[in-house]
Amino acid sequence: MSRDEPRADDATPRPAFVDVAVLAPLATPLTYSVPPRLADRVALGGRVLAPLGARKVGGVVTRLLSVDELRARRGPPRELAPLLEVVEDEPSLTPELVALALWIAEYYEAPPGEVLRAQLPAGSASQVRDVLTTTAAGAAALAGGALPRRQRDLLMALARRGAPLARLTPAQRRLAVELRAQGLVDAVELRTTPRATVREVSIARLAADLSDPAARDALLERHRRAPRRQQVLRALLEGPRPLDELVAAEPALRVAVRALVASGEIALDAVEDLGAVDAPDPALAGGGAGGDQLPELTAEQAVAVTEIGARLGAGFAPFLIHGVTGSGKTEVYLRVIAEVLARGQTALVLVPEISLTPQLAGRFRARFGDAVAILHSGLSERDRLVEWQRLRRGLATIAVGARSAVFAPLERLGILVIDEEHDGSFKQDDGVRYHARDVALVRAQRLGVPCILGSATPSLESYWHAQRGAYQLLTMTQRPTARPMPEVEVIDLRTYRPDPDDLLSAPLAAAIETALAASDQAILFLNRRGFATFVLCRACGHAFRCPHCAVSLTYHQSSDRLLCHYCGFAQRIPEVCPTCATRGAIDRRGLGTEKIAEAVARRFPSARVARLDRDVAAGAKAEAILARVARRQVDVLVGTQMVTKGHDFPGVTLVGVLCADTGLNLPDFRASERTFQLLSQVAGRAGRGERPGRVLIQTYRPTATAVLAAAHHDYPKFYAAESEARAELGYPPAGRLIAVRIDGADGQAVVTTAARLAQVAGGEAAAQGGVQVLGPVAAPLERLRGRTRWQIWLRGEQRLALRKVARALLTAEVEQGVRVGLDVDPVSAL
């Protein structure tokens, strides 16, 4: 086969072959030939349709290949399946993002097509269907009425709307074969139907150039007896207008518009509506207000801005800003990004949670206006697509969003910022198990630009890199205007017994009274949702557990349901115990945020109490609750870890941690680190305004290192103790981990597979050396969503040796119905 002719517009040869990562869980891209009719349209990063066995699937082109390149890789060219279609004129993904996706696929042992799917806006991927339609002969046969009844019924259905082959019954498929043989049904037609599309709007404009005043007067004169037409024309003489805006005040003008379109005097153009999505509530902009008056930087902020600014345009430079809560890290981000924009470049800002995105986005919008695009899963698929397109086309130059925003289609990227870099939410816990913080660092390194990690409680890994000089450490120990860090008091619950209804000890209840009397706000933190955390029968002890997961069901009073927080299973509480048939013995035990909020409202009847957890804060509801707090319309906010995430509320002077021990008791090597981070972060919500803050931490373990270090705002002390304990066991940051996750519906098949994989891992580890195999062992949550879960842990210092052992498991024999997945650099043992 000879090389195709070069393109007419340049000297670049047309590709004869392409590698395509199909949007399916395959380990490597597949190679296809490029038909001559598609050679001018196929492009790196573009979406295509390709055959995969008997199916037609979507995919993304990951490499363009000539005959010589294919021969060098695979030997003499052999017959390859051809691409079926190119489904977009402009590639969705840049070569930079394609290369990043291939790196992610290799590092995290993930299918490249699944990584590329994560880079595309949700709902925008093409859905491919084989569709049968009637031919002209089929329509004539229907009109003639001489067909057998079954053939006629199928033809009528096809004539109305076509029929996807996948939805035909076996009998209908046999009929379809007969109809195609008779020429009554058309050949298979490929259609793509994305769920999400950008809304189009109609723009009205004059059809002719009317710069000549005489021509304008003549046009108006022709319609002097039609005042509404004249009104439309006068408006359009000032320039094109969106049709909806033109007729908003007077809907009757639509009739005039139709008449002028029919006469050819005005035209309607359909254009994509790429206006910015609704801005966050202005109350959440806080200290990020725009205008000429910027806040004065502290000496530490000024040093950080200067140090980072000096590296702009000078290659890859990772920075870790270790700044206490309220030290003004966001203002540093804003100043540096302003410098980046002045250089004609773009910026990417990642935050860990949807609940935090509105506040940070509000501050950025206040400073930079519609140059900011917001990307997170709380938006509708259409809104996410609009924001994605604004970034891709350069209409927005700053992307602010949660984990998946690391794939924002920004060109000329000049800076990446990961705020609250320690947060575990940056790690995807299913599917492609990537860590957005680490992917951002790799993206910055590949582009040769600075990357800023910011946190008051850095992850042990990031601080470890900073201590060794891999990251430049910038420390910010002071809050602006010399506001002191809040005073922290540890309350020993063995001495001060908490109230059984609201978990408030006497000192904490008194502190709330004092804060409310001073018209201050308070935050109460408890990392448990629901009204009652478990429900049982007093007569026989039967506990209500999820039938699909190894967890207790939680009672939610608002819905009057028992809910599983893992799989969503729900049921009503029966009046009669299902085990002993005793009536009236069902008891609700344990306290969650729903019950605490109700009890606090009863105890302090004059206080306005609100709740912030995943049950009440889905989508835009979180923003509404946070805006009420910012406007001082809430006195006491009760919540889960959502209240710890970087919120800046000057009116909050009191924070109460109802039980600091919840996270310490988890069977996870990161339990102490997470507890320290949560306590430090929630404590940092107090005293960010003019009045000093106070924090009360209730605990049964007042001497735990995580509790004491958080109480004294002493990160170095915690880091020293925790890193030493981890090093003794070979855990990160001193060592590396890969978790092998094994799950299936058949518990015995999972156990058998886990034992077999452990044997394979042991043999490969012995051959490689330096790799420890731990397990197999049941996961702490052994059953989840109806599937039994077991784990094997691979531990070592050398990434290459770990990878070889892990890859050996992917090719090992497994029982039918059992899934095996690798979690590289896991953040949770659960």
Side-chain angles (χ1 to χ4, degrees):
M1 188 182 296
S2 62
R3 185 192 297 271
D4 288 321
E5 294 296 320
R7 301 175 192 261
D9 57 346
D10 58 38
T12 304
R14 294 172 177 173
F17 304 95
V18 290
D19 283 345
V20 175
V22 296
L23 303 181
L26 297 184
T28 59
L30 303 177
T31 305
Y32 294 90
S33 63
V34 180
R37 65 184 178 85
L38 300 179
D40 282 328
R41 297 178 57 208
V42 70
L44 183 64
R47 288 192 252 191
V48 295
L49 298 182
L52 182 63
R55 294 185 295 150
K56 285 85 175 175
V57 295
V60 176
V61 175
T62 59
R63 188 176 179 186
L64 307 176
L65 295 162
S66 67
V67 173
D68 293 340
E69 289 169 326
L70 186 68
R71 182 180 288 114
R73 189 171 74 179
R74 304 176 52 158
R78 56 187 175 82
E79 193 70 25
L80 291 171
L83 287 183
L84 298 175
E85 190 57 79
V86 174
V87 300
E88 57 188 4
D89 295 326
E90 182 183 359
S92 286
L93 301 177
T94 63
E96 180 249 327
L97 284 173
V98 172
L100 181 67
L102 295 179
W103 176 87
I104 292 170
E106 180 183 13
Y107 184 85
Y108 290 102
E109 302 294 345
E114 296 303 301
V115 181
L116 288 160
R117 187 197 301 274
Q119 291 187 343
L120 297 167
S124 69
S126 301
Q127 297 175 342
V128 187
R129 300 186 300 173
D130 291 347
V131 180
L132 293 178
T133 57
T134 54
T135 62
L142 273 175
L147 290 170
R149 182 179 60 81
R150 290 189 305 153
Q151 289 191 353
R152 180 179 178 81
D153 290 346
L154 181 57
L155 266 182
M156 288 182 66
L158 296 178
R160 284 197 298 271
R161 59 185 178 278
L165 284 178
R167 295 184 184 175
L168 296 181
T169 65
Q172 288 175 325
R173 291 190 185 203
R174 289 192 293 271
L175 278 177
V177 171
E178 297 173 10
L179 293 171
R180 289 186 67 182
Q182 299 172 44
L184 304 181
V185 171
D186 206 346
V188 172
E189 175 189 349
L190 294 175
R191 296 181 182 176
T192 58
T193 55
R195 289 196 315 271
T197 56
V198 177
R199 186 173 67 93
E200 290 190 337
V201 295
S202 294
I203 304 296
R205 61 174 175 83
L206 296 174
D209 179 15
L210 295 179
S211 53
D212 180 8
R216 294 184 175 209
D217 293 341
L219 177 65
L220 294 173
E221 177 62 24
R222 283 200 298 274
H223 298 284
R224 59 188 175 83
R225 299 189 179 207
R228 285 200 174 94
R229 295 185 197 178
Q230 273 203 341
Q231 184 178 343
V232 171
L233 292 169
R234 289 184 188 280
L236 296 183
L237 284 171
E238 298 177 4
R241 297 270 298 277
L243 178 60
D244 290 344
E245 178 186 313
L246 187 66
V247 302
E250 196 173 342
L253 291 179
R254 286 188 183 274
V255 177
V257 169
R258 283 197 290 269
L260 291 168
V261 170
S263 67
E265 290 164 303
I266 70 171
L268 295 177
D269 299 324
V271 300
E272 290 183 325
D273 182 7
L274 292 177
V277 301
D278 291 341
D281 194 300
L284 297 176
D292 298 330
Q293 196 68 32
L294 298 179
E296 184 177 346
L297 296 179
T298 66
E300 291 174 328
Q301 285 177 312
V303 167
V305 171
T306 300
E307 290 286 334
I308 299 168
R311 294 304 305 267
L312 296 178
F316 173 60
F319 292 89
L320 174 62
I321 300 181
H322 177 205
V324 299
T325 53
S327 59
K329 294 182 289 294
T330 302
E331 185 60 34
V332 173
Y333 307 154
L334 292 165
R335 297 294 181 96
V336 172
I337 288 173
E339 290 187 36
V340 169
L341 298 185
R343 298 168 63 92
Q345 295 177 299
T346 60
L348 171 60
V349 182
L350 298 182
V351 294
E353 286 272 4
I354 295 173
S355 64
L356 183 55
T357 307
Q359 187 164 47
L360 195 68
R363 295 193 63 178
F364 274 77
R365 277 276 178 87
R367 188 72 60 89
F368 299 113
D370 285 347
V372 179
I374 302 169
L375 295 171
H376 60 72
S377 59
L379 299 174
S380 68
E381 288 186 344
R382 170 170 284 178
D383 282 347
R384 273 182 278 172
L385 180 59
V386 167
E387 294 291 76
W388 188 86
Q389 289 285 16
R390 292 177 63 231
L391 291 165
R392 181 188 181 204
R393 300 183 188 186
L395 301 176
T397 51
I398 303 171
V400 176
R403 182 175 54 228
S404 61
V406 72
F407 303 126
L410 287 158
E411 298 200 46
R412 305 182 313 281
L413 195 54
I415 191 80
L416 290 89
V417 177
I418 303 93
D419 192 33
E420 309 292 356
E421 65 84 24
H422 66 277
D423 200 289
S425 300
F426 283 124
K427 174 75 169 179
Q428 176 76 23
D429 59 5
D430 56 11
V432 181
R433 293 183 169 99
Y434 68 94
H435 198 302
R437 176 198 62 209
D438 298 340
V439 170
L441 281 162
V442 170
R443 189 174 183 185
Q445 185 178 39
R446 286 168 164 262
L447 291 171
V449 300
C451 184
I452 305 172
L453 311 181
S455 176
T457 55
S459 63
L460 261 68
E461 289 86 344
S462 294
Y463 203 74
W464 186 82
H465 285 304
Q467 292 296 300
R468 281 153 183 75
Y471 301 167
Q472 182 174 342
L473 180 63
L474 299 170
T475 304
M476 293 165 51
T477 60
Q478 300 295 322
R479 289 179 164 183
T481 67
R483 293 171 189 148
M485 292 297 291
E487 172 194 343
V488 180
E489 179 182 346
V490 177
I491 298 174
D492 188 343
L493 292 180
R494 296 170 301 179
T495 302
Y496 296 96
R497 296 290 182 181
D499 187 292
D501 291 330
D502 55 23
L503 289 185
L504 300 182
S505 64
L508 181 53
I512 295 172
E513 288 275 15
T514 302
L516 294 176
S519 299
D520 290 336
Q521 294 172 288
I523 290 177
L524 299 180
F525 167 60
L526 177 67
N527 215 16
R528 289 200 298 255
R529 294 155 54 198
F531 189 84
T533 53
F534 64 97
V535 177
L536 51 77
C537 172
R538 293 191 305 273
C540 70
H542 169 80
F544 288 83
R545 300 179 66 81
C546 176
H548 311 297
C549 307
V551 296
S552 297
L553 294 172
T554 300
Y555 177 64
H556 289 253
Q557 183 171 264
S558 58
S559 60
D560 193 26
R561 292 287 192 280
L562 288 168
L563 295 179
C564 174
H565 290 165
Y566 290 91
C567 72
F569 172 81
Q571 71 174 65
R572 286 190 177 276
I573 296 181
E575 295 182 3
V576 176
C577 174
T579 300
C580 68
T582 303
R583 181 178 295 274
I586 306 299
D587 202 4
R588 300 160 178 80
R589 299 286 181 88
L591 301 179
T593 47
E594 185 181 15
K595 188 170 186 178
I596 295 295
E598 181 185 279
V600 168
R602 281 199 311 269
R603 185 162 183 166
F604 305 101
S606 63
R608 296 165 296 180
V609 179
R611 190 169 110 239
L612 184 64
D613 56 35
R614 298 202 182 281
D615 298 319
V616 297
K621 293 180 181 178
E623 182 178 331
I625 294 170
L626 293 172
R628 287 175 56 209
V629 178
R631 291 194 174 95
R632 307 289 295 268
Q633 295 169 348
V634 170
D635 299 313
V636 181
L637 178 65
V638 178
T640 59
Q641 60 182 319
M642 294 181 76
V643 304
T644 73
K645 308 275 186 175
H647 308 301
D648 190 353
F649 300 124
V652 173
T653 62
L654 175 66
V655 166
V657 178
L658 299 186
C659 186
D661 311 308
T662 307
L664 280 174
N665 298 322
L666 293 176
D668 192 328
F669 74 93
R670 295 186 192 271
S672 183
E673 181 182 9
R674 285 203 194 91
T675 298
F676 170 78
Q677 289 166 343
L678 280 173
L679 295 180
S680 299
Q681 291 288 337
V682 74
R685 301 315 108 205
R688 299 169 78 101
E690 297 301 323
R691 295 169 62 81
R694 187 182 178 198
V695 180
L696 279 73
I697 299 176
Q698 299 186 157
T699 177
Y700 289 99
R701 298 171 62 184
T703 60
T705 301
V707 174
L708 287 176
H712 292 93
H713 311 291
D714 194 346
Y715 179 85
K717 177 181 178 180
F718 175 78
Y719 172 80
E722 185 68 10
S723 58
E724 181 180 350
R726 298 260 193 100
E728 290 178 1
L729 298 172
Y731 285 133
R736 296 175 178 272
L737 291 175
I738 295 179
V740 184
R741 315 283 191 185
I742 308 153
D743 69 272
D746 183 339
Q748 186 54 51
V750 171
V751 173
T752 301
T753 298
R756 184 180 302 147
L757 292 181
Q759 210 169 23
V760 172
E764 187 66 26
Q768 295 297 327
V771 176
Q772 288 182 290
V773 179
L774 308 177
V777 64
L781 293 175
E782 184 174 0
R783 192 157 181 84
L784 206 60
R785 301 179 182 93
R787 300 178 72 86
T788 299
R789 306 162 70 241
W790 276 57
Q791 302 176 345
I792 299 170
W793 289 75
L794 307 179
R795 185 170 65 188
E797 294 184 10
Q798 299 302 318
R799 186 166 65 89
L800 183 59
L802 274 175
R803 186 174 302 281
K804 287 181 178 178
V805 176
R807 285 181 174 172
L809 301 184
L810 293 178
T811 58
E813 182 183 354
V814 301
E815 297 292 309
Q816 185 174 4
V818 175
R819 295 184 305 202
V820 177
L822 299 182
D823 188 356
V824 179
D825 302 334
V827 300
S828 173
L830 301 181

